[in-house]
Amino acid sequence: MDPQYIRNFSIIAHIDHGKSTLADRLLEFTGALTAREMMAQVLDSMDLERERGITIKAHAVRLNYKADDGITYQLNLIDTPGHVDFTYEVSRSLQACEGALLVVDASQGVEAQTLANTYLALHHNLEIIPVINKIDLPSAEPERIREQIEQLIGLDASGAVLASAKNGVGIKEILEAVVMLVPQPKGSPDAPLRALIFDSWFDPYRGVIILARIFDGRLKMGQKIKLMSNGKTFEVEGLGFQSPKPIPCAELAAGEAGYLHCNIKTISDAKIGDTITEVANPASEALPGFEEIKPMVFAGLYPIESHEHGLLRDALEKLRLNDSAFNFEPENSVALGFGFRCGFLGLLHLEIIQERLEREFNIDLITTAPGVRYRVTKTDGSVIEVENPSKWPNTQEIASIEEPLIDASVITREEYVGEILKLLEEKRGVQKKFEHLGSSRILLMYELPLNEIVLDFYDRLKSASRGYASLDYHLAGTRVSPMSKLDVLVAGEAVDALSIIVHRD
Ligand SMILES: Nc1nc2c(ncn2[C@@H]2O[C@H](COP(=O)(O)OP(=O)(O)OP(=O)(O)O)[C@@H](O)[C@H]2O)c(=O)[nH]1
Ligand SMILES: [Mg+2]
């Protein structure tokens, strides 16, 4: 299709502000799904997503929309997760788009991830269209939220669409805004092929399935393609787009997004962020990829029944195929036997993997206390990274220890600030900013050790604020701290599985 008639956009928001529900309405309105096929948050296809009502993975779909100008546009929409653990999904999705719908709950207003995701979108130079959602709620204050968006984010919200994703209000206005305001994709269908891999997963029958955004050139059935990071070549065996059912097509051209498979057997060959080009007419330069994501939180997973160790390894390998953010290596413990040390993006990610193992693979698990990765400089000058208390060096061998830090922002109401400040101080936080946001809301920015938020921080924050606090954070370097291994003795003997790393204080 002529790029002039293509619009690529993401839906971003704080958790639960209604992204997936809005996606439902857009699918329905454009006729991608009939009322009979429709169910709530239809793009959240994983069982766990449906049960918990949260989005974990980003989902891309193509819609056709006949606009008021009489032209039918191709809209490629990506619904994204709102939880901070999955920010990398948002950031990848944004790189495949020229615009973003910024959904803000009309009663809750701007929250921590609203800000974080807006900054991500601005960083990618996207056109941002504010949508004030849930105006059907009795507590909705759309005009106040409009002011908030202007003051806090600095976006012009005079044209913000007032919507109720639940009741289907404002849907046409949103689609018109997308068509009018989101820029058409740049890039030329006649240039050498460059397609960005922004997601991939493993299908037992077809091998790796890739989701790609075509920036230049054309991707065709039967074409010989090359992955620019490793030079490996493949032949395109399947090509199409999701609508949301997979619909095969013969060609994807510059500006479009879709899926392809080409008999890739190992998921690590189709790296997310890599550029696909054509063997016959290769591009000279790869597209800027993504920052590699690294696990931040580590815990040991052990089967309760020791004979299930092999089963657990198989299950972890399967999960890893579709979740490159997660890693594991074997470890053993005197107390718990054979298990795995696993790395996660955060606590929700840990919880989800654990639940999937128990539910999809039927393995009962023991999980050790989550911890973080430290950089230890030894007295002999060597530097090691330690995320496992059982690998902690002897005190005499340690010269210094660096622990990972995060920059955290908390948005809350004035009346809870006292309690929250107490909590942040107790967690060894250093205040960076204390800002009144108007209408008795406060933004707190703190530098905190990552180690301090992996145990009970969320629960404590929730009870300190009665649920009226939102948190966002990202890694922000390290600092030297007197950390120490704490052993727990049972009947006079140290139990390795109970050891944790703590601050000396
Ligand atoms: N009253 C009302 N409720 C809504 C509206 N839109 C969404 N909701 C409800 O808000 C809750 C969260 O909606 P989702 O669409 O799952 O929100 P989300 O932003 O996709 O959430 P995450 O993907 O977890 O970040 C659900 O219970 C929806 O039914 C609306 O316009 N009005
Ligand atoms: Mg969602």
Side-chain angles (χ1 to χ4, degrees):
M1 183 174 246
D2 187 334
Q4 206 179 330
Y5 306 122
I6 301 176
R7 300 290 182 270
N8 298 311
F9 67 102
S10 290
I11 310 182
I12 56 173
H14 187 70
I15 191 160
D16 271 354
H17 281 195
K19 297 174 288 296
S20 302
T21 309
L22 176 61
D24 286 353
R25 295 293 87 74
L26 298 177
L27 261 70
E28 213 171 56
F29 193 90
T30 55
L33 285 180
T34 62
R36 194 170 52 81
E37 293 167 309
M38 200 65 221
M39 51 183 178
Q41 290 104 30
V42 68
L43 295 182
D44 291 343
S45 49
M46 223 186 283
D47 281 351
L48 211 62
E49 290 183 312
R50 303 203 59 79
E51 237 164 71
R52 293 190 168 213
I54 52 169
T55 304
I56 297 170
K57 273 201 77 68
H59 295 277
V61 279
R62 180 187 291 189
L63 315 169
N64 287 312
Y65 171 61
K66 186 155 187 239
D68 281 349
D69 58 12
I71 296 168
T72 300
Y73 289 85
Q74 177 194 113
L75 309 182
N76 293 301
L77 164 167
I78 307 182
D79 179 25
T80 64
H83 193 279
V84 52
D85 278 13
F86 305 113
T87 299
Y88 78 104
E89 291 269 333
V90 182
S91 136
R92 268 162 29 192
S93 309
L94 294 178
Q95 212 154 317
C97 296
E98 282 78 35
L101 294 176
L102 175 69
V103 176
V104 184
D105 185 315
S107 70
Q108 283 188 23
V110 172
E111 294 286 359
Q113 268 91 46
T114 317
L115 286 179
N117 289 335
T118 307
Y119 294 144
L120 272 180
L122 290 172
H123 176 74
H124 287 94
N125 287 321
L126 299 196
E127 177 69 35
I128 299 175
I129 302 172
V131 173
I132 298 171
N133 187 34
K134 307 199 189 183
I135 54 163
D136 59 285
L137 288 176
S139 53
E141 296 178 83
E143 287 316 314
R144 191 173 63 82
I145 304 304
R146 201 193 291 272
E147 272 171 38
Q148 232 179 49
I149 296 176
E150 299 205 329
Q151 283 172 2
L152 303 190
I153 311 184
L155 284 177
D156 175 12
S158 57
V161 184
L162 302 188
S164 162
K166 188 174 164 198
N167 298 342
V169 176
I171 305 305
K172 187 175 161 55
E173 288 76 3
I174 291 173
L175 288 164
E176 283 298 319
V178 167
V179 165
M180 299 302 292
L181 301 175
V182 175
Q184 70 172 69
K186 293 195 200 80
S188 155
D190 303 315
L193 172 66
R194 289 203 296 174
L196 178 72
I197 303 181
F198 66 91
D199 202 0
S200 67
W201 64 90
F202 192 80
D203 178 287
Y205 303 105
R206 278 165 295 193
V208 177
I209 314 266
I210 292 173
L211 282 189
R213 157 73 198 273
I214 323 295
F215 279 87
D216 285 313
R218 297 167 197 276
L219 198 56
K220 296 178 204 153
M221 278 296 277
Q223 192 178 28
K224 290 241 178 353
I225 56 164
K226 185 166 90 176
L227 301 173
M228 290 186 79
S229 72
N230 55 21
K232 293 195 180 172
T233 61
F234 300 92
E235 187 177 316
V236 179
E237 291 180 355
L239 194 64
F241 52 87
Q242 296 168 304
S243 188
K245 285 164 289 194
I247 298 183
C249 66
E251 179 186 290
L252 292 170
E256 297 184 306
Y259 69 83
L260 70 148
H261 53 91
C262 40
N263 204 20
I264 300 181
K265 290 293 184 215
T266 34
I267 192 105
S268 55
D269 276 347
K271 256 201 5 228
I272 289 173
D274 201 354
T275 303
I276 300 173
T277 191
E278 189 180 6
V279 173
N281 182 17
S284 52
E285 222 175 295
L287 296 159
F290 305 114
E291 225 174 284
E292 201 147 333
I293 34 154
K294 292 202 195 94
M296 310 216 272
V297 173
F298 301 83
L301 296 185
Y302 289 86
I304 290 183
E305 305 284 345
S306 59
H307 67 262
E308 290 189 335
H309 176 258
L311 215 61
L312 176 58
R313 187 184 47 234
D314 291 348
L316 289 169
E317 266 162 18
K318 283 204 182 110
L319 288 183
R320 154 104 196 139
L321 280 181
N322 294 324
D323 189 348
S324 52
F326 153 71
N327 69 20
F328 64 96
E329 57 183 47
E331 105 175 324
N332 54 50
S333 143
V334 180
L336 301 176
F338 291 99
F340 297 91
R341 191 79 192 165
C342 306
F344 308 92
L345 294 170
L347 288 183
L348 179 66
H349 191 213
L350 185 162
E351 220 178 292
I352 282 165
I353 298 263
Q354 190 183 336
E355 207 170 315
R356 290 186 68 185
L357 289 168
E358 299 197 322
R359 183 202 296 231
E360 292 168 34
F361 300 91
N362 249 321
I363 305 170
D364 289 327
L365 292 170
I366 297 178
T367 308
T368 63
V372 303
R373 176 181 275 161
Y374 298 92
R375 228 152 90 100
V376 180
T377 308
K378 296 219 227 165
T379 42
D380 65 7
S382 61
V383 178
I384 53 170
E385 300 213 309
V386 188
E387 73 253 352
N388 190 340
S390 69
K391 303 236 170 85
W392 198 253
N394 290 325
T395 317
Q396 328 56 292
E397 293 172 28
I398 299 177
S400 70
I401 302 157
E402 286 166 64
E403 64 170 336
L405 298 176
I406 55 169
D407 274 336
S409 37
V410 175
I411 295 184
T412 188
R413 297 195 193 166
E414 247 162 26
E415 59 255 53
Y416 306 117
V417 162
E419 283 296 307
I420 294 178
L421 287 180
K422 236 193 271 167
L423 173 64
L424 290 166
E425 300 294 333
E426 181 196 319
K427 297 292 189 185
R428 301 191 278 128
V430 177
Q431 195 177 91
K432 291 281 199 64
K433 201 175 192 181
F434 183 112
E435 194 182 326
H436 289 268
L437 300 180
S439 46
S440 68
R441 284 154 44 99
I442 306 282
L443 168 68
L444 300 170
M445 304 257 264
Y446 264 75
E447 185 180 84
L448 282 169
L450 178 60
N451 176 42
E452 295 292 342
I453 69 155
V454 299
L455 270 178
D456 58 352
F457 187 75
Y458 283 100
D459 291 342
R460 298 267 315 268
L461 183 65
K462 215 175 189 174
S463 58
S465 65
R466 309 226 179 128
Y468 288 110
S470 57
L471 167 75
D472 183 76
Y473 64 85
H474 55 264
L475 276 183
T478 61
R479 90 175 161 213
V480 174
S481 299
M483 307 305 291
S484 199
K485 179 170 159 185
L486 175 79
D487 281 327
V488 176
L489 308 187
V490 175
E493 297 238 11
V495 180
D496 57 356
L498 297 178
S499 296
I500 50 170
I501 307 298
V502 294
H503 191 268
R504 192 153 296 163
D505 288 350

